[in-house]
Amino acid sequence: MDTPDIFLVKEFLLSLQENICRKLEKVDCTGIFIRDAWQAPGKGAGRSCILKNGTIFEQIGVNFSHVYGDSMPIFATANRPDLAGCKFEAVGISVVIHPNNPYIPSSHANIRFFIAKKPKNTQPIWWFGGGFDLTPFYGFIEDVVFWHKSAYDLCQPFGDGLYVRYKKWCDDYFYLRHRNEQRGVGGLFFDDLCIHGFNHSFQFAKAVGQSFCDTYIPILEKRKVLAWSNRERDFQLYRRGRYIEFNLVYDRGTLFGLHSGGRIESIFISMPPLARWEYDYKPQKGSPEEALYRDFLIVKDWL
């Protein structure tokens, strides 16, 4: 039977949350995740894990949630308007990493599973979504190529052309239209995944979640030894402002949480602890900061 099973997905995501936390604690050496279980009567429950002020990481949020309701918010049905107002249940995990060292990129990953039911319809409608992306402050070609090669490799067992499709979807999604600027160097993004049945889709979602740390940590290990000064820190904080802009204006997960009455502390755990804005900032010509805009915050074939 290829029947969708939300409890099977939930079991995997809770295990994945623990595995990610253990791996990132090991990398940091001193930082410890605080685990905060929460409940929202009539809406759901979850567990937020946060690491603050570590050796490597300024802040990490690893969230799990299991939510439900009688009317699916519109932000969860951007590509499925026919499901607006349906009863729904959803489980998901999200990871947002904000490192101390500006030479280490920030990164984000999430996996989510929705199941909805229309009135007078006995067959549930379900789908997976998620992906991961990389947001450097100072770019290194070899890091971005490694990131995308890893994304390509995990996609290959599930079908030719999958990486190209989901890479483009990521580029299109993580785009700040009001800035005419990419948020970072992309990765994978997928939604409404239900083709080939539940088991096939679940295996792909699992592959994305399980490969995240194995793809991110090698990049971190290379860059954590680089020395940095106030100049790099100021630029990091400035670029974090873009991260906030995207999350508040465009991010469907943030908007879903806000408009479904989600837990605010868990929703905003994705925000960096510190950021800054600067009026009409322009990087110095020929500088590493200019190189980020010129060579990395662009859509290109990194392979």
Side-chain angles (χ1 to χ4, degrees):
M1 291 289 290
D2 196 25
T3 305
D5 186 342
I6 193 170
F7 296 103
L8 191 64
V9 181
K10 179 178 180 177
E11 181 180 45
F12 165 72
L13 293 179
L14 284 169
S15 174
L16 180 63
Q17 183 186 41
E18 280 301 312
N19 287 338
I20 289 173
C21 287
R22 283 197 296 268
K23 287 180 179 180
L24 295 177
E25 280 182 344
K26 184 177 180 180
V27 169
D28 193 89
C29 296
T30 61
I32 301 294
F33 278 96
I34 297 171
R35 290 160 171 79
D36 183 18
W38 55 269
Q39 289 190 340
K43 295 181 179 180
R47 182 173 65 187
S48 295
C49 300
I50 184 166
L51 184 154
K52 297 170 64 176
N53 302 320
T55 302
I56 302 296
F57 304 112
E58 190 168 359
Q59 184 167 294
I60 306 173
V62 186
N63 281 343
F64 167 82
S65 64
H66 180 184
V67 298
Y68 47 85
D70 291 329
S71 180
M72 186 175 287
I74 191 171
F75 292 100
T77 58
N79 298 323
R80 305 286 290 270
D82 58 307
L83 296 182
C86 291
K87 288 186 176 182
F88 75 95
E89 194 170 0
V91 290
I93 183 175
S94 65
V95 186
V96 181
I97 300 174
H98 296 293
N100 286 306
N101 190 328
Y103 288 107
I104 302 174
S106 288
S107 194
H108 155 263
N110 77 88
I111 301 293
R112 55 191 177 275
F113 177 74
F114 278 89
I115 189 164
K117 194 170 184 180
K118 291 183 177 181
K120 300 180 181 179
N121 190 337
T122 58
Q123 294 298 317
I125 300 166
W126 59 268
W127 67 94
F128 286 92
F132 52 60
D133 63 284
L134 195 70
T135 306
F137 309 101
Y138 291 89
F140 297 89
I141 293 290
E142 63 185 283
D143 293 350
V144 186
V145 170
F146 172 77
W147 180 259
H148 280 273
K149 180 62 165 57
S150 299
Y152 174 87
D153 289 344
L154 82 85
C155 287
Q156 281 307 101
F158 298 93
D160 291 336
L162 214 58
Y163 164 77
V164 173
R165 180 186 176 194
Y166 292 158
K167 188 264 186 192
K168 182 182 186 305
W169 204 339
C170 189
D171 290 335
D172 292 344
Y173 181 73
F174 290 105
Y175 173 66
L176 288 85
R177 293 189 294 276
H178 62 282
R179 297 276 189 183
N180 189 28
E181 181 181 297
Q182 299 300 127
R183 188 175 85 168
V185 296
L188 299 175
F189 181 87
F190 64 96
D191 208 354
D192 301 305
L193 177 63
C194 58
I195 193 170
H196 302 312
F198 173 78
N199 290 331
H200 181 90
S201 300
F202 186 26
Q203 291 304 312
F204 177 74
K206 288 170 71 173
V208 172
Q210 291 167 336
S211 68
F212 171 67
C213 281
D214 294 337
T215 305
Y216 178 70
I217 289 175
I219 295 172
L220 178 156
E221 294 286 0
K222 279 187 178 181
R223 306 306 163 197
K224 71 179 184 180
V225 298
L226 297 180
W228 52 279
S229 65
N230 288 338
R231 169 179 171 165
E232 290 90 346
R233 176 63 166 170
D234 285 346
F235 187 62
Q236 178 195 47
L237 296 183
Y238 174 73
R239 289 299 308 172
R240 281 180 177 178
R242 296 290 205 275
Y243 209 94
I244 293 171
E245 288 180 22
F246 180 87
N247 277 18
L248 293 179
V249 177
Y250 302 116
D251 186 71
R252 283 169 57 184
T254 301
L255 297 175
F256 172 78
L258 294 174
H259 288 266
S260 63
R263 184 175 183 263
I264 296 299
E265 291 302 315
S266 296
I267 295 168
F268 286 151
I269 202 174
S270 64
M271 299 299 182
L274 294 172
R276 73 182 187 91
W277 281 261
E278 182 176 329
Y279 178 76
D280 198 26
Y281 168 81
K282 290 181 174 59
Q284 182 180 350
K285 288 191 178 299
S287 67
E289 292 79 15
E290 185 194 42
L292 178 73
Y293 292 86
R294 184 189 65 236
D295 300 332
F296 292 92
L297 299 184
I298 55 175
V299 174
K300 63 182 290 186
D301 180 1
W302 292 101
L303 300 183

